[in-house]
Amino acid sequence: MTTIFINIKELLQTRTSTIEKVSGQEMKILPSIKNAYLLVKDDEIIDYGVMNDTCFGIADEVIDCTGKIVMPTWIDSHTHIVYAGNREQEFVDRINGLTYEEIANRGGGIVNSAEKLQNTSEEDLYKQSKKRLEEVMQLGTGAVEIKSGYGLTPEAEMKMLRVIRKLKQEYKLPVKATFLGAHAVPKAFKNNTAGYIDQVINEMLPAIANENLADYIDIFCEKGYFSIEDTKRVLAAGKKYGLKPKIHVNQFNIIGGVAAGVEYNALSVDHLEVISDEDIEILKNSETMPVALPSCSYFLSIPYTPARKLIDAGLPLALATDFNPGSTPSGNMNFVISTACIKMKMTPEEAINAATINAAYAMGIAESHGSITVGKKANLILTKEIPSYGFLPYAFGTNNIDSVFINGKKI
Ligand SMILES: [Zn+2]
């Protein structure tokens, strides 16, 4: 089965060879072809270029893209979309003046989500989660990482990871599973963080590895959650099972999480709303991708990751949603790129690079996704008729997507 997209107003993110990521000044460049065609065979991109007469009659299916842009799908390298129930009451509490930390101290926050999840069946959890996955796919997300971390008991963490595995089996997009047992200290281990870390390392990790349920390991490295010492213990344990770290660091405080992540060869360090010059130097000498989560900053009214500082220092940057019930009840990558441009002063080129090619790196799928390259998977966004790609972040809140293709098939 071959499909040809013809009369494409502009084909974005065309890369002749597979590059892993773009950093610093390179992020300003978004290669593209105007008046282009794109040829797909089964699930793979096999050819593209400037429109010419040979484009006609060579494919089983022809899609006319006059006035429309084609680009790789968004890649969301950081989500928590498997969760039970919602937390709109805490949202109202925050409007009325409580902080995220105060809500957590009153038994709300992650621990609240954990209680709901523990009391939800695996089947019901799957049903709730697949609705969210289908929603974000329609919004242009063509690959997604999903974390555990709302279980906080061995049984409930396994339940979450099995739901992620089922999503991976049922849907055709790449799904990566991250074990985030160390997301918060559960009530049963109050004032005994070390005891909980023991359980994460000695009970949960071996069971998860035994069923091959996780690709990566994560921890919420933050004051009031888990220390640098806890972080190093968990990452060292994960390493034994071949799980690379992707970790939550520097959301509220700088406690050394970036250095710990780099020390354990983290694929990504995520959040970075606060970051020191020292952290930037450490990242420069690493293979670790910094990931910003602007929808979280928006929802919590906390500082945005200083993208300009990172990019101008020569670093790469990826963007993701952090879709979760507490701090980011939205998985809309279009809103993420708008917010990155509006609030973080990223250019549209930088934001699109951050949400495609660099995001693929942060998810560990750069070889097969993230750009229009021969041999890569045909996970594509076809926009509505829009004046230019700058219109995507500019017209925030508007859905500019006509259709989404996963492995060459329209969803
Ligand atoms: Zn997160």
Side-chain angles (χ1 to χ4, degrees):
M1 170 76 183
T2 49
T3 305
I4 189 159
F5 297 78
I6 59 165
N7 299 321
I8 302 169
K9 183 187 178 92
E10 193 165 2
L11 179 63
L12 304 185
Q13 194 62 289
T14 50
R15 306 269 177 183
T16 45
S17 59
T18 299
I19 53 160
E20 275 197 311
K21 57 185 175 191
V22 282
S23 309
Q25 289 292 325
E26 299 162 352
M27 285 191 70
K28 286 193 170 43
I29 301 161
L30 180 64
S32 74
I33 297 173
K34 289 186 173 158
N35 188 29
Y37 73 92
L38 173 71
L39 184 61
V40 171
K41 183 167 189 282
D42 301 325
D43 61 348
E44 215 176 278
I45 295 166
I46 58 166
D47 192 20
Y48 62 87
V50 178
M51 276 298 290
N52 60 65
D53 293 344
T54 62
C55 292
F56 300 94
I58 59 169
D60 303 321
E61 186 189 12
V62 179
I63 297 173
D64 183 14
C65 307
T66 301
K68 300 171 179 178
I69 287 171
V70 173
M71 58 182 290
T73 49
W74 307 127
I75 289 171
D76 195 350
S77 69
H78 181 141
T79 83
H80 309 249
I81 66 172
V82 172
Y83 61 82
N86 288 290
R87 303 217 307 254
E88 64 272 26
Q89 184 51 49
E90 291 175 15
F91 169 64
V92 177
D93 290 343
R94 277 200 304 113
I95 293 170
N96 288 325
L98 291 185
T99 67
Y100 188 68
E101 275 153 327
E102 282 165 341
I103 290 165
N105 291 339
R106 294 203 324 184
I110 297 164
V111 173
N112 177 359
S113 283
E115 247 165 50
K116 277 187 188 156
L117 191 139
Q118 286 159 12
N119 297 319
T120 302
S121 72
E122 191 172 316
E123 200 188 328
D124 195 17
L125 188 60
Y126 173 74
K127 274 188 197 153
Q128 292 187 37
S129 306
K130 79 173 194 155
K131 253 169 101 173
R132 294 182 202 112
L133 182 61
E134 285 172 7
E135 184 202 340
V136 303
M137 287 169 75
Q138 292 296 339
L139 291 167
T141 296
V144 69
E145 180 257 18
I146 310 172
K147 300 172 192 296
S148 72
Y150 288 117
L152 308 183
T153 64
E155 304 73 35
E157 284 294 305
M158 296 287 280
K159 177 161 69 184
M160 285 189 83
L161 289 163
R162 287 196 191 105
V163 168
I164 299 172
R165 180 172 63 188
K166 192 161 180 210
L167 292 170
K168 204 187 276 199
Q169 289 162 350
E170 298 294 318
Y171 292 84
K172 300 295 170 220
L173 77 173
V175 174
K176 293 282 185 187
T178 300
F179 171 49
L180 175 57
H183 196 192
V185 179
K187 274 185 200 155
F189 287 89
K190 204 167 184 237
N191 302 320
N192 182 17
T193 303
Y196 182 58
I197 294 287
D198 285 341
Q199 191 184 53
V200 165
I201 292 174
N202 301 325
E203 272 187 61
M204 298 186 196
L205 251 179
I208 287 160
N210 193 35
E211 285 191 39
N212 219 348
L213 285 171
D215 302 294
Y216 301 116
I217 190 151
D218 194 350
I219 182 166
F220 189 13
C221 177
E222 181 59 57
K223 257 187 205 169
Y225 291 84
F226 296 99
S227 67
I228 292 299
E229 193 197 332
D230 300 331
T231 301
K232 289 186 176 181
R233 280 189 67 201
V234 168
L235 300 193
K239 199 176 169 184
K240 279 192 200 148
Y241 294 99
L243 302 182
K244 247 192 164 191
K246 281 173 66 63
I247 60 174
H248 287 72
V249 296
N250 291 37
Q251 183 175 3
F252 301 106
N253 298 284
I254 300 170
I255 61 169
V258 171
V262 169
E263 184 186 334
Y264 284 88
N265 199 21
L267 185 57
S268 70
V269 283
D270 302 21
H271 272 296
L272 310 173
E273 286 85 343
V274 291
I275 189 159
S276 66
D277 291 343
E278 198 191 332
D279 288 335
I280 289 175
E281 285 309 308
I282 291 166
L283 283 169
K284 269 191 197 170
N285 300 308
S286 80
E287 293 297 310
T288 300
M289 177 66 71
V291 179
L293 310 164
S295 301
C296 175
S297 298
Y298 175 85
F299 190 75
L300 294 183
S301 299
I302 62 172
Y304 288 87
T305 304
R308 282 269 55 92
K309 202 173 162 185
L310 295 169
I311 296 170
D312 294 346
L315 289 175
L317 185 65
L319 290 166
T321 63
D322 198 19
F323 195 177
N324 77 78
S327 66
T328 322
S330 161
N332 189 342
M333 282 295 286
N334 305 285
F335 180 77
V336 166
I337 66 150
S338 284
T339 309
C341 293
I342 297 162
K343 296 292 186 185
M344 293 158 66
K345 304 289 173 221
M346 289 173 76
T347 64
E349 293 81 8
E350 288 171 334
I352 292 170
N353 276 322
T356 55
I357 198 158
N358 283 358
Y361 181 94
M363 215 182 119
I365 56 167
E367 295 213 332
S368 53
H369 294 81
S371 64
I372 302 296
T373 302
V374 171
K376 282 198 179 182
K377 297 290 178 200
N379 285 16
L380 308 164
I381 289 173
L382 172 62
T383 70
K384 293 177 181 164
E385 287 187 30
I386 55 173
S388 72
Y389 62 77
F391 192 79
L392 293 171
Y394 161 81
F396 75 96
T398 299
N399 186 352
N400 291 300
I401 295 175
D402 176 303
S403 36
V404 178
F405 297 79
I406 301 290
N407 292 335
K409 286 200 183 68
K410 190 173 166 176
I411 59 163

